[in-house]
Amino acid sequence: PKTYRLPAPTSLDSAVITVKGDDVTVDFQGAMLEGMDPESDPDRAAGVAIRVEGGHNVKILNARVRGYKIGILVRGTRNGALIGNDLSYNWKPRLLSLVEHESLVDWLSYHHNENDEWLRFGAAIYLADVSGGEIRGNRAVQGMNGLLLVRSDALTIRDNEFAFNSGLGIGLYRSSDDTIVHNRIDYDVRGYSHRFYARGQDSAGLLMYEQSCRNVVAYNSITHGGDGVFLWAGQSTMDEGVGGANDNLFYGNDVSFAPANGIEATFSRNTFVANRAHGNEYGVWGGYSFSSIIVGNDFSANRTGIAIEHGQDNVIAANRFRGDSTAIRLWADSIEPSQ
């Protein structure tokens, strides 16, 4: 367990270490893989440190990884595990926003990822086409993104820290039936300068995009993100009018102090119970939400507690509102968006 300075090939199709096979456990015992000088600018980080290709029951334990574009990249694995790894201080971009004013260049767009477009954003952990297994006790701070899941289902994600990143703590794309519990996903934010501007720029603690359904999100701390939770049905739903990011349960999370929304959940059907949303612009923004349940939540000091534009068949019951400028606002505009 010492530090190994091992620059990665710039191509994301290769890696410093590649793991293949079934029933493989690689325990780094605290050894550090370092892709570049720690004093280098973080936008110079490149390549993949650890790559897992296929197989089942593959475990990566106790690795320390810094200075890469992707810390751990896993593709097509079944019932694997990432446990006790520290994947902090990997790639993040140079932002153009300044103290007095923001740059629109820094706004994010996660609308497409069928061809791994999200890889351009880097990640401590990137999982694609993974089924089953656990991600537990990992840490990723001071990068762009913590954990990104793409078409990855039935995972248990618990007791991790994905905080102080400039993009996302956790991001899901077409990923369903996952359990996300007892994680610290705080201060994943950009586009905020105290007393000057509070925009969020579509950063978030937890992003759920494009047909991510039936996930359980419970007992997480998701505070001070651009949004706490940002859930969107997906471009295919906008284009075709079918599908969505539906039937997710959000229970007992703290989504406070976001510059934008504690929870943004649009064009979708979901359940929100016993969450805490204090000090946001909007506690819950639910544009075009339908058949959603918002019950027993604690709203305080938001500009608006619950805001739903063009909602249908929603249930709002037994919530507490304290010091919100407006508790509940429901409305419809005469001119609807074109898409």
Side-chain angles (χ1 to χ4, degrees):
K2 63 179 183 179
T3 297
Y4 299 86
R5 179 72 56 80
L6 297 169
T10 56
S11 171
L12 299 183
D13 293 326
S14 59
V16 174
I17 295 174
T18 299
V19 181
K20 297 183 179 181
D22 299 331
D23 302 310
V24 177
T25 297
V26 183
D27 188 345
F28 284 78
Q29 299 183 42
M32 166 81 80
L33 301 182
E34 194 172 76
M36 62 181 188
D37 190 316
E39 300 301 318
S40 299
D41 291 338
D43 60 350
R44 294 182 58 197
V48 179
I50 302 168
R51 182 184 184 94
V52 180
E53 295 186 2
H56 71 266
N57 193 31
V58 178
K59 300 178 181 179
I60 306 296
L61 313 178
N62 304 315
R64 299 171 64 208
V65 174
R66 67 184 298 167
Y68 297 90
K69 188 71 176 279
I70 308 288
I72 299 177
L73 175 61
V74 183
R75 291 192 181 277
T77 300
R78 292 180 292 114
N79 297 319
L82 303 176
I83 300 174
N85 303 290
D86 191 330
L87 307 156
S88 302
Y89 302 100
N90 286 291
W91 184 88
K92 61 182 175 182
R94 182 182 298 275
L95 301 180
L96 300 181
S97 297
L98 304 175
V99 171
E100 291 84 2
H101 62 87
E102 68 167 331
S103 170
L104 298 181
V105 174
D106 292 337
W107 278 79
L108 297 171
S109 174
Y110 291 94
H111 285 67
H112 301 283
N113 196 34
E114 287 305 293
N115 297 305
D116 285 325
E117 289 90 344
W118 284 11
L119 285 174
R120 72 186 187 276
F121 295 131
I125 303 171
Y126 189 100
L127 273 57
D129 302 300
V130 171
S131 177
E134 67 173 335
I135 300 171
R136 173 168 52 86
N138 302 286
R139 180 174 184 264
V141 303
Q142 294 289 335
M144 170 70 173
N145 298 305
L147 167 65
L148 300 182
L149 308 180
V150 182
R151 298 179 302 275
S152 295
D153 305 325
L155 288 154
T156 298
I157 301 162
R158 67 173 300 145
D159 301 319
N160 303 284
E161 180 183 6
F162 300 123
F164 295 98
N165 297 293
S166 65
L168 306 174
I170 299 176
L172 279 66
Y173 187 91
R174 293 186 181 271
S175 296
S176 300
D177 302 302
D178 297 308
T179 301
I180 302 172
V181 295
H182 292 292
N183 299 284
R184 295 187 61 189
I185 320 173
D186 302 316
Y187 289 95
D188 296 302
V189 62
R190 68 204 293 162
Y192 180 88
S193 180
H194 194 56
R195 295 191 178 95
F196 289 97
Y197 55 89
R199 303 279 279 165
Q201 296 178 334
D202 281 348
S203 59
L206 172 62
L207 175 73
M208 300 177 69
Y209 240 43
E210 186 75 44
Q211 321 294 323
S212 293
C213 301
R214 299 178 304 281
N215 298 288
V216 174
V217 180
Y219 302 115
N220 300 284
S221 178
I222 320 177
T223 68
H224 300 86
D227 286 333
V229 174
F230 182 7
L231 181 147
W232 188 59
Q235 192 61 50
S236 60
T237 297
M238 301 298 99
D239 294 340
E240 303 168 12
V242 296
N246 298 323
D247 304 315
N248 299 287
L249 170 63
F250 299 87
Y251 187 94
N253 303 286
D254 189 343
V255 293
S256 299
F257 307 116
N261 309 298
I263 296 172
E264 178 176 345
T266 55
F267 298 92
S268 58
R269 177 187 63 236
N270 296 286
T271 299
F272 308 92
V273 178
N275 300 287
R276 181 178 186 265
H278 293 188
N280 306 287
E281 184 77 357
Y282 294 91
V284 171
W285 174 277
Y288 289 82
S289 289
F290 60 94
S291 302
S292 290
I293 297 172
I294 305 174
V295 173
N297 301 282
D298 182 12
F299 297 94
S300 175
N302 304 286
R303 187 164 75 88
T304 303
I306 298 172
I308 302 178
E309 172 192 1
H310 289 98
Q312 299 180 48
D313 302 314
N314 299 302
V315 174
I316 301 173
N319 301 285
R320 181 166 68 169
F321 301 90
R322 294 174 298 168
D324 305 286
S325 299
T326 301
I328 301 172
R329 183 182 177 210
L330 311 175
W331 78 101
D333 291 333
S334 58
I335 300 175
E336 296 188 16
S338 60
Q339 61 177 359

